[in-house]
Amino acid sequence: MLPRLRVLRVIARLNVGGPALHVSLLTSRLDPARFESLLAAGTPGEREGDLLALRPDIAATLGGRLVPIPGLGRDVRPTSDARALWALWRLVGEFRPHVLHTHTAKAGTLARLVGVARSVPIMVHTFHGTVFGGHFRPSVARSIVLAERALGRVSDQVLAVSPAVAADLARCRVAPGRVRVVALGLDLAPFAAVPALARSASPPPVVSLVARLVPVKDIELFLDAARIARGRLPTLEVRVVGDGPLRQQLERCAPPWVSFLGNRADMPDILSTTGVVALSSRSEGSPVALIEALAAARPVAAVPVGGVVDLLAHRPGAILVPERSAQALAEGIVHALTDGSFAAAAAAGRAGVVEEFGADRLVAEIERLYQQLWEQRGETL
């Protein structure tokens, strides 16, 4: 019989984004009769957006399961990292987890080091994306790969949120034979409740991009595409939803018909008045913005990068443009807004998206994983 397992989940910070939503959901929804869960997290950086401040409902579901880790965050800072390492050392010693499950690179590094030293029975790490290429100079990227290879050898299971992320791990020989694809899971009920677009009417001439305003999201490419699309659709309304360090720069350069809405807690309402959701990123693990849009029965148009290809290939209501170019993305946006069949296809495909990326599927899959790993180790309390 499976004992009640203590699960300690660690993430660098609960900023606005997919990984924070994912870990919050798992922490609050694992079966309390079989699992005792804690979530350890650092502090979001400036302009990243604090998920718990934006979404008090998520903070309420976590209740007393959230443990702040002083010093833990995204950036590498030796003094802060040492504080975080000590805090994690104490927490692991006090909680004595059966399962240590880490998310994001920084948290995964520090917590797994502690896990090895503290002899935690089971260690799992989730890659929500990788930073092996294109994010840092080559020497730094090589160091990251070497570190992840070493950490992969002490991990019982490594999870990838999409086949593209798993392929990247295989290419870099990280945790060979230990990688499993477990798709992102989200609370999609509020998006599934958004009314589908009327079959007899064209979608509203509104394109929205939802993203952190950071270089990897390539907002400039989206704005260039929006300019081209507006040349074809003069009444096109353009929205950028999200915040980040590039916001002021982007607002200065953008035309006056582009609205910057910041981080929003009312995304279902935003999507209800959106005709198409676009994505222009240079890299993606599993794009939450597109999953939520499809769950709201809204067409999407996106460039072909990383997990976007896995998500949108043969997906009803989706346009995967042939290349990362402003012209190609603009054509995808215009096509989605002028061809009513995309709205109808998005409505027809909504149920499949909710089932594939919903909370229930994720929770059941992770619960089975923990049980399998525990049984494989043959551990007893």
Side-chain angles (χ1 to χ4, degrees):
M1 180 177 177
L2 181 71
R4 188 169 186 254
L5 298 181
R6 292 184 294 275
V7 179
L8 176 60
R9 197 173 307 283
V10 185
I11 189 170
R13 75 275 194 219
L14 294 175
N15 62 314
V16 175
L21 289 168
H22 184 95
V23 301
S24 300
L25 185 151
L26 281 173
T27 302
S28 62
R29 296 202 188 184
L30 289 185
D31 181 1
R34 294 189 291 149
F35 302 96
E36 180 183 356
S37 294
L38 281 185
L39 173 60
T43 305
E46 186 178 359
R47 302 297 300 260
E48 280 193 306
D50 185 330
L51 178 66
L52 301 187
L54 184 70
R55 295 282 305 277
D57 58 313
I58 292 178
T61 64
L62 290 173
R65 301 185 189 94
L66 178 61
V67 180
I69 301 296
L72 187 58
R74 179 180 183 274
D75 298 330
V76 176
R77 294 174 179 169
T79 301
S80 296
D81 295 348
R83 290 176 62 211
L85 196 64
W86 173 243
L88 288 168
W89 174 269
R90 292 183 60 186
L91 178 59
V92 170
E94 294 167 1
F95 187 57
R96 296 182 299 113
H98 301 101
V99 180
L100 175 63
H101 192 158
T102 58
H103 302 254
T104 66
K106 175 79 165 291
T109 299
L110 297 180
R112 280 184 285 179
L113 290 174
V114 171
V116 170
R118 286 286 199 180
S119 300
V120 174
I122 297 170
M123 291 200 294
V124 180
H125 180 70
T126 294
F127 280 91
H128 294 266
T130 64
V131 291
F132 300 154
H135 292 261
F136 303 101
R137 61 181 185 273
S139 60
V140 174
R142 283 194 295 270
S143 297
I144 292 172
V145 169
L146 291 174
E148 291 294 357
R149 286 177 184 168
L151 291 166
R153 286 192 286 271
V154 301
S155 303
D156 296 275
Q157 187 80 68
V158 170
L159 307 182
V161 297
S162 70
V165 173
D168 208 15
L169 295 174
R171 178 181 61 81
C172 294
R173 302 193 303 279
V174 172
R178 302 186 186 188
V179 177
R180 177 189 297 197
V181 176
V182 174
L184 203 65
L186 304 163
D187 181 5
L188 296 177
F191 298 92
V194 174
L197 295 168
R199 294 177 180 271
S200 60
S202 298
V206 179
V207 57
S208 297
L209 179 137
V210 186
R212 291 180 297 119
L213 305 189
V214 293
V216 73
K217 300 301 182 179
D218 203 353
I219 312 300
E220 293 89 345
L221 176 64
F222 167 70
L223 294 177
D224 288 343
R227 290 184 181 94
I228 296 170
R230 207 164 192 268
R232 298 266 303 277
L233 301 173
T235 61
L236 180 65
E237 181 182 342
V238 180
R239 300 169 176 170
V240 176
V241 184
D243 207 341
L246 296 182
R247 179 170 178 175
Q248 291 183 345
Q249 174 186 330
L250 291 167
E251 285 182 320
R252 284 196 301 268
C253 298
W257 38 264
V258 177
S259 301
F260 287 82
L261 305 185
N263 290 322
R264 299 289 291 262
D266 59 341
M267 281 309 303
D269 293 336
I270 296 289
L271 291 173
S272 70
T273 56
T274 292
V276 60
V277 173
L279 181 142
S280 55
S281 304
R282 299 189 182 106
S283 176
E284 283 287 346
S286 189
V288 171
L290 299 189
I291 294 170
E292 291 179 342
L294 291 166
R298 290 307 182 267
V300 301
V303 297
V305 295
V308 174
V309 179
D310 298 322
L311 173 65
L312 299 190
H314 313 297
R315 180 78 61 179
I319 297 176
L320 186 65
V321 306
E323 61 183 8
R324 283 198 74 260
S325 73
Q327 183 64 44
L329 184 56
E331 291 175 2
I333 291 169
V334 171
H335 197 181
L337 290 174
T338 55
D339 185 342
S341 67
F342 283 100
R350 168 168 29 201
V353 172
V354 172
E355 180 179 359
E356 185 177 349
F357 295 98
D360 291 344
R361 189 275 312 161
L362 174 66
V363 170
E365 195 165 356
I366 293 297
E367 288 180 345
R368 283 195 302 270
L369 171 65
Y370 293 162
Q371 180 170 356
Q372 290 165 2
L373 292 173
W374 186 260
E375 292 173 348
Q376 287 167 11
R377 290 190 65 90
E379 296 285 354
T380 59
L381 285 174

